[in-house]
Amino acid sequence: MTTPVAATPQAAPAATAQKAPRRRTALVTGATAGIGKAFAVRLANDGWDLVLVARDAARLDEFCQALTQTYSVRATPLSADLSTSSGVESVEARLREEAFELLVNNAGLSLNTPFLKSSVEQEEYLLSVNVHAVMRLTHAALPGMVTRRSGNIINVSSVAGFAATMPGSTYPASKAWVIHFSESVGLSVARHGVKVLALCPGFTRSEFHSRAGIDMSKTPNWLWLQAPNVVDAALKDLGKGRSVSVPGWKYKVLVGFMRHTPTRLLRRFARTARVRTGRDTE
């Protein structure tokens, strides 16, 4: 009789190593207040890691620590003054060395001084943040996104960018540049899987106006938007592949009016609206 041979236990198949999904990372400028802060909170809540840029290092550090503890994400502070070349260069370097899925160019400013009373230095300061920094950071982020065939850029503009509705102010001109720049660049990179959105909110509750010394006390409450709602609208429109986002139906109607109203009538409306909102600084 043949002695049966004991079956050799077969080793269980080795568990297939599963790669953890790559965490998405976003860089947000002007991140400690207003729309920028709302973007940071929303993205952290959605599980994004963050690199946040602002001038106030102490405030930025505190905010990053709070986001990290609350949402269990990596929130890294990058203190930089985007009105200076060295400040922009430090952010450019970070954008080139790390694979960011989203860049939010939110930092911006306005001057509470009409052009005739302003100085060249003040106007260059406005342009350095509202125009030059947006251009340079977009230029730094895009090559990597195009190579990866994935990426998103949100450039925060303004409803004011659709027409010269603020007599004496060069703020609308800077924001008009952001709109057209975003649309043009977006058209050129769409075939590479990259989206560029110009976000154009109206008056939004933030520190923006108080920092510029602009008295908004006469502005009707119904004109104000809440920053989290602005962010929600922007992300929805980005997901839909739109190139321009105007949050709130009232501002959508206003933009339609601004785009199709004869120039003479629009100028008359602008002068009247400026007085009614207490912003007649001429």
Side-chain angles (χ1 to χ4, degrees):
M1 178 185 289
T2 305
T3 305
V5 178
T8 304
Q10 294 186 352
T16 304
Q18 302 232 347
K19 287 186 180 179
R22 184 177 66 85
R23 293 178 68 93
R24 298 174 297 175
T25 306
L27 187 146
V28 182
T29 69
T32 56
I35 294 173
K37 184 175 183 179
F39 263 112
V41 171
R42 168 62 186 273
L43 294 170
N45 187 53
D46 288 348
W48 287 68
D49 287 332
L50 301 167
V51 174
L52 303 182
V53 179
R55 288 183 300 176
D56 189 332
R59 185 178 183 183
L60 184 60
D61 287 344
E62 182 179 357
F63 183 43
C64 286
Q65 290 176 18
L67 289 176
T68 299
Q69 293 170 3
T70 303
Y71 299 102
S72 299
V73 297
R74 186 179 74 246
T76 305
L78 177 54
S79 178
D81 183 349
L82 296 182
S83 70
T84 67
S85 184
S86 60
V88 175
E89 286 170 3
S90 66
V91 183
E92 285 176 318
R94 190 61 180 266
L95 285 167
R96 292 188 179 111
E97 70 188 21
E98 190 170 341
F100 288 94
E101 185 67 20
L102 172 64
L103 165 64
V104 180
N105 278 313
N106 167 72
L109 60 93
S110 184
L111 301 174
N112 190 23
T113 308
F115 186 69
L116 286 176
K117 297 179 181 179
S118 181
S119 66
V120 170
E121 290 75 20
Q122 285 177 297
E123 296 299 331
E124 288 182 338
Y125 175 54
L126 180 144
L127 292 174
S128 66
V129 178
N130 291 9
V131 173
H132 296 159
V134 172
M135 179 273 293
R136 289 179 59 174
L137 299 188
T138 300
H139 192 269
L142 277 179
M145 291 181 175
V146 167
T147 298
R148 296 188 298 274
R149 305 192 71 80
S150 174
N152 306 275
I153 296 177
I154 298 176
N155 293 324
V156 179
S157 180
S158 171
V159 163
F162 289 103
T165 56
M166 298 165 62
S169 172
T170 51
Y171 175 80
S174 70
K175 291 304 184 179
W177 182 90
V178 172
I179 295 171
H180 295 301
F181 168 74
S182 301
E183 289 184 295
S184 179
V185 172
L187 287 171
S188 71
V189 299
R191 61 193 177 92
H192 299 292
V194 179
K195 299 176 185 176
V196 181
L197 175 77
L199 171 58
C200 305
F203 296 132
T204 304
R205 296 288 185 190
S206 68
E207 301 174 10
F208 178 83
H209 297 97
S210 61
R211 284 184 174 181
I214 300 173
D215 180 11
M216 300 297 293
S217 60
K218 295 183 181 179
T219 304
N221 285 332
W222 63 268
L223 278 175
W224 289 102
L225 300 172
Q226 299 299 323
N229 295 336
V230 171
V231 170
D232 183 58
L235 294 177
K236 285 181 179 177
D237 285 339
L238 182 69
K240 293 176 181 177
R242 292 176 177 167
S243 60
V244 176
S245 175
V246 180
W249 69 267
K250 295 173 184 178
Y251 282 106
K252 285 181 171 65
V253 171
L254 179 60
V255 167
F257 171 80
M258 293 163 71
R259 281 179 158 175
H260 301 293
T261 300
T263 303
R264 180 178 296 180
L265 181 59
L266 185 61
R267 287 177 176 173
R268 183 180 302 173
F269 169 79
R271 286 194 294 269
T272 303
R274 189 173 180 87
V275 172
R276 286 179 179 174
T277 57
R279 302 195 62 221
D280 189 7
T281 59
E282 294 289 352

